[in-house]
Amino acid sequence: MSQRRPTAQDVAKRAGASRSAVSMVMNGNADGNVAPDMQERIRSAAAELEYTPNPIASGLRRQRSQMIGIVTDEAASSPFAGRMLAGASKAASERGYLTVIADAGAPNADPSSFIDELRRRRVDGLLLATQRLRTVDVPDGLRLQPGILTNCRDRLDSFPSIIPDEIRGGREAAEHLIGLGHRRISWIGGDDDVDAAPARIAGLQAALASAGLPAAELYSGDWDIADGYRGAGRIFGRPADEWPDAVFCACDRVAVGVLLYAGAHGISVPGDVSVMGYDDQRHLADATVPGITTMSLPHEAMGREAARRVIDELEGAPAADAATTLLQCPLVVRASTAPRTARAA
């Protein structure tokens, strides 16, 4: 026969306290309601009995499920955007909440139906998260309880969101290249269907203009290795005296394509040209030779901040306003960028 699970009443008896005092201590509401010495006696008794509160019973009393629903597209399976989900789950766990993830990434899947289903299952709050930065139409169900957009923003700017500061990231990446002495910078990859590309380009061009340098040549494409290879072919197919000093790639996968082209055609990186990536995709940017200098997307920080904001509202903080919160993309310097060489000069 299994041993009976200790109850709050057992803790109260061991500590010489009331059942309500035990509840307040275990739920973090004791300050100002239970004397400090009694709080300590209750915690000691709970440790001796190996007592932990029953989350289901606690949720029923509070009319809460202690669950946060997260509806995603490809973010659930993305190797680097998964950090966003990990950040949200960790932040929620630290506050006593469980995250439930619904993957709406299948073709023709409707995030609204997943949100409605999570609401029927009584989640306390909701996050709508996307793998790539984009503008979305906020589902009606998301507006009916504490919720927030993560790595996406409301088309009407009427719902709170947390996204990377892509313009600042593009500017700081360009400033890194300019600081190394590079004066001619080209851009490869990206497309206007993903909001990140125009924002990163805007930051790049602003940094060049501020430094009194010519605008970057833009070689548009997509977000994959093949696009980087093709773009590099267009750039380095010209005479060497027309090459840029540095190439700023829309993402790390595009940068890999540039490195592959350079290696196949005897172009030294960073000796002949510096190559800048974006995203800091783990097991990619740090695995190439040379490693890719890049801007790290703050996926984990976005998930953590989103969960914190939703739980704060659940626990009595004022609802978040509709403003967009921008998080910095830190620079990660590796070996693909270096000071301007004599050839470039």
Side-chain angles (χ1 to χ4, degrees), residues 79-102:
F80 60 99
R83 286 181 268 174
M84 181 164 53
L85 306 182
S89 296
K90 183 177 180 181
S93 178
E94 290 170 351
R95 302 280 289 273
Y97 287 77
L98 177 71
T99 53
V100 180
I101 299 170

Side-chain angles (χ1 to χ4, degrees), residues 28-307:
N29 299 318
D31 290 346
N33 296 310
V34 181
D37 61 333
M38 180 57 73
Q39 291 186 43
E40 184 58 35
R41 284 163 57 187
I42 290 171
R43 293 191 184 97
S44 296
E48 291 168 7
L49 293 171
E50 298 184 351
Y51 166 78
T52 56
N54 185 325
I56 296 176
S58 175
L60 289 172
R61 286 193 298 272
R62 302 170 65 193
Q63 295 187 325
R64 297 259 185 89
S65 66
Q66 298 296 112
M67 292 191 297
I68 304 297
I70 306 177
V71 177
T72 79
D73 53 10
E74 305 103 313
S77 57
S78 166
F80 60 99
R83 286 181 268 174
M84 181 164 53
L85 306 182
S89 296
K90 183 177 180 181
S93 178
E94 290 170 351
R95 302 280 289 273
Y97 287 77
L98 177 71
T99 53
V100 180
I101 299 170
D103 185 356
N108 302 318
D110 180 7
S112 298
S113 64
F114 288 89
I115 287 172
D116 293 342
E117 181 61 27
L118 287 171
R119 294 190 66 248
R120 282 192 290 270
R121 293 173 185 266
R122 305 298 185 189
V123 297
D124 297 325
L126 285 161
L127 279 62
L128 177 60
T130 58
Q131 178 201 358
R132 292 182 173 180
L133 179 65
R134 59 190 179 90
T135 303
V136 299
D137 296 310
V138 179
D140 292 338
L142 193 60
R143 299 181 183 274
L144 299 177
Q145 63 192 96
I148 198 164
L149 301 175
T150 312
N151 206 38
C152 52
R153 62 190 308 169
D154 177 19
R155 197 178 309 278
L156 302 177
D157 288 327
S158 63
F159 198 80
S161 62
I162 298 175
I163 63 173
D165 192 342
E166 300 281 17
I167 294 178
R168 177 178 176 181
R171 185 178 70 247
E172 291 183 353
E175 288 171 349
H176 167 71
L177 296 173
I178 293 168
L180 293 172
H182 301 310
R183 296 296 176 263
R184 296 166 60 188
I185 300 174
S186 294
W187 165 276
I188 296 179
D191 60 63
D192 290 343
D193 290 341
V194 179
D195 291 356
R200 294 171 189 177
I201 291 171
L204 162 64
Q205 302 290 35
L208 291 169
S210 180
L213 298 174
E217 291 182 299
L218 306 179
Y219 296 87
S220 61
D222 212 323
W223 300 86
D224 218 336
I225 293 171
D227 300 287
Y229 197 96
R230 282 192 293 269
R234 295 172 64 188
I235 289 175
F236 299 113
R238 302 178 299 185
D241 61 0
E242 297 179 15
W243 292 357
D245 306 331
V247 175
F248 185 176
C249 299
C251 66
D252 294 338
R253 293 181 66 82
V254 171
V256 169
V258 174
L259 294 182
L260 290 174
Y261 183 94
H265 293 82
I267 299 169
S268 172
V269 176
D272 292 326
V273 63
S274 284
V275 176
M276 181 86 198
Y278 209 109
D279 290 347
D280 194 24
Q281 185 170 344
R282 292 178 184 175
H283 311 306
L284 181 68
D286 57 356
T288 59
V289 179
I292 299 170
T293 296
T294 187
M295 305 299 292
S296 179
L297 284 173
H299 281 110
E300 185 174 349
M302 284 192 292
R304 189 169 59 245
E305 178 66 10

